């Protein structure tokens, strides 16, 4: 089956899933308008966090105690994926509860990891944190940044400058420790990513830190070598990496189309851009 035929099949399946899910979403009576949706999610959060004030600051904007949370992404997901809306709202509320509960946990070096996020997402995320100091970021590729986080059993939260000062670390030390911790906590890439032939895509999914592997640039060298020196990747959502061994115009167009379609339907979209691996880092595929 050709790449384009395979994508057509995936796109048709996505459309069918959306139609089937529409009835379920209506039954759950989740408001489709921004003010109603905001009020609905606010009530869900209040039911879970009874000792913290939840205030509607505007359409798709809430304050949860000292934190600000924006509903833009979950609202966009619900509009595009009505059948999965209730499930994702539940996951979102659980995440807000965990973040609120863990915000005062002291930072530790052992908890440091890195995640990959879009620069646009980080600009929005910085509006959602309280006055704990700016977050730290490093560029990964055009439009993407590497961000230190603190991983705990309850939540993963952005590591900030106040945390850095509390641990007595420089910014370089923060990234060195976080990347080393990530490297030791994930399975070696050689055991989870196998070379794919021309006309096929490989996937890495099922783990929160799959896209974080992009920060471990050197670890991709064996896969690139096994694919004849060609490795093109996309990270359409926070826990998914697609990769290919072909860089023809048709293959690149197919991978770009698939990545953008999956990004639209993802509850935590990341980026629709494609990256080419080089020994010196990732390069944007235009």
């Amino acid at each position: 089956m050709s790449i384009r035929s395979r994508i057509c099949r995936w796109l048709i399946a996505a459309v069918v899933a959306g139609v089937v899910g529409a009835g379920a979403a209506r039954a759950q009576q989740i408001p489709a308008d921004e003010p109603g949706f905001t009020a609905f999610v606010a009530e869900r959060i209040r039911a879970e966090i009874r000792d913290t004030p939840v205030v509607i600051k505007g359409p798709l904007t809430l304050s949860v105690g000292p934190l600000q949370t924006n509903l833009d992404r979950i609202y966009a997901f619900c509009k595009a994926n009505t059948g999965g809306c209730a499930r994702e709202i539940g996951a979102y509320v659980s995440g807000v509860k965990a973040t609120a509960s863990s915000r005062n946990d002291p930072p530790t070096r052992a908890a440091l990891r890195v995640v990959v996020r879009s620069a646009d997402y980080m600009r929005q995320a910085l509006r959602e944190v309280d006055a704990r100091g700016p977050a730290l970021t490093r560029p990964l590729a055009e439009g993407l940044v590497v961000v230190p986080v603190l991983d705990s059993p309850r939540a993963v939260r952005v590591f900030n400058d106040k945390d850095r000062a509390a641990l007595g670390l420089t910014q370089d030390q923060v990234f060195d420790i976080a990347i080393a911790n990530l490297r030791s906590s994930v399975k070696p890439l050689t055991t989870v990513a196998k070379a794919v032939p021309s006309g096929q895509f490989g996937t890495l999914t099922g783990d929160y830190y799959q896209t974080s592997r992009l920060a471990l640039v050197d670890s991709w060298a064996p896969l690139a070598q096994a694919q004849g020196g060609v490795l093109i990747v996309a990270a359409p959502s926070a826990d998914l990496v697609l990769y290919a061994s072909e860089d023809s115009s048709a293959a690149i167009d197919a991978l770009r189309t698939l990545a953008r379609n999956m990004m639209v339907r993802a509850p935590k979209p990341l980026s629709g851009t494609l990256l080419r691996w080089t020994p010196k880092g990732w390069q944007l595929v235009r």
Side-chain angles (χ1 to χ4, degrees):
M1 181 181 293
S2 70
I3 292 177
R4 293 187 184 278
S5 297
R6 190 180 300 113
I7 287 180
C8 287
R9 186 180 67 185
W10 286 329
L11 293 179
I12 291 171
V15 171
V16 171
V19 172
V20 172
R26 284 194 291 270
Q28 292 156 356
Q29 297 182 337
I30 299 172
D33 62 293
E34 291 186 4
F37 185 86
T38 305
F40 180 87
V41 176
E43 282 304 312
R44 290 287 305 274
I45 295 174
R46 290 189 186 108
E48 292 292 327
I49 311 176
R50 298 182 182 277
D51 58 348
T52 302
V54 179
V55 179
I56 298 175
K57 302 182 69 176
L60 305 182
T61 305
L62 304 173
S63 65
V64 182
L67 304 174
Q68 177 173 306
T69 179
N70 296 308
L71 308 179
D72 308 67
R73 286 176 176 264
I74 187 69
Y75 180 69
F77 173 83
C78 283
K79 288 182 67 177
N81 305 271
T82 51
C85 184
R87 180 184 66 251
E88 291 304 327
I89 288 177
Y92 183 86
V93 171
S94 297
V96 171
K97 180 180 180 181
T99 299
S101 300
S102 65
R103 59 178 292 272
N104 291 321
D105 290 351
T108 66
R109 297 188 182 202
L112 274 167
R113 303 287 190 278
V114 293
V115 295
V116 173
R117 295 292 182 261
S118 72
D120 288 341
Y121 173 84
M122 286 308 299
R123 281 190 286 271
Q124 174 181 307
L126 291 179
R127 302 199 306 267
E128 301 183 11
V129 299
D130 55 342
R132 297 174 60 87
L136 311 179
T137 64
R138 267 187 184 175
L140 176 71
E142 186 174 329
L144 294 173
V145 294
V146 179
V147 185
V149 296
L150 288 168
D151 187 307
S152 75
R154 291 188 293 183
V156 175
R157 69 171 177 84
V158 173
F159 184 90
N160 53 51
D161 204 54
K162 184 176 180 180
D163 296 322
R164 182 197 62 77
L167 292 179
L169 300 174
T170 65
Q171 289 194 21
D172 286 343
Q173 287 173 329
V174 169
F175 281 96
D176 289 345
I177 294 170
I179 289 174
N181 287 349
L182 172 69
R183 193 184 297 272
S184 64
S185 65
V186 297
K187 294 180 180 179
L189 188 66
T190 53
T191 68
V192 296
K194 304 303 180 183
V196 294
S198 176
Q200 295 186 21
F201 301 141
T203 61
L204 291 171
T205 189
D207 187 294
Y208 182 83
Y209 290 106
Q210 291 292 23
T211 53
S212 299
R213 292 178 180 275
L214 297 177
L216 307 176
V217 177
D218 60 301
S219 71
W220 294 84
L223 180 60
Q225 183 177 8
Q227 296 186 166
V230 179
L231 176 58
I232 309 293
V233 306
S237 65
D239 62 350
L240 172 64
V241 178
L242 307 171
Y243 64 93
S245 63
E246 183 180 349
D247 58 359
S248 67
S249 296
I252 286 175
D253 287 346
L255 181 58
R256 197 188 308 275
T257 299
L258 177 60
R260 288 177 176 174
N261 180 65
M262 298 184 78
M263 182 182 175
V264 169
R265 299 189 60 81
K268 296 179 181 178
L270 181 50
S271 175
T273 60
L274 305 187
L275 303 175
R276 180 190 300 273
W277 182 86
T278 76
K280 295 182 178 180
W282 299 100
Q283 293 181 348
L284 189 67
V285 177
R286 300 189 183 278

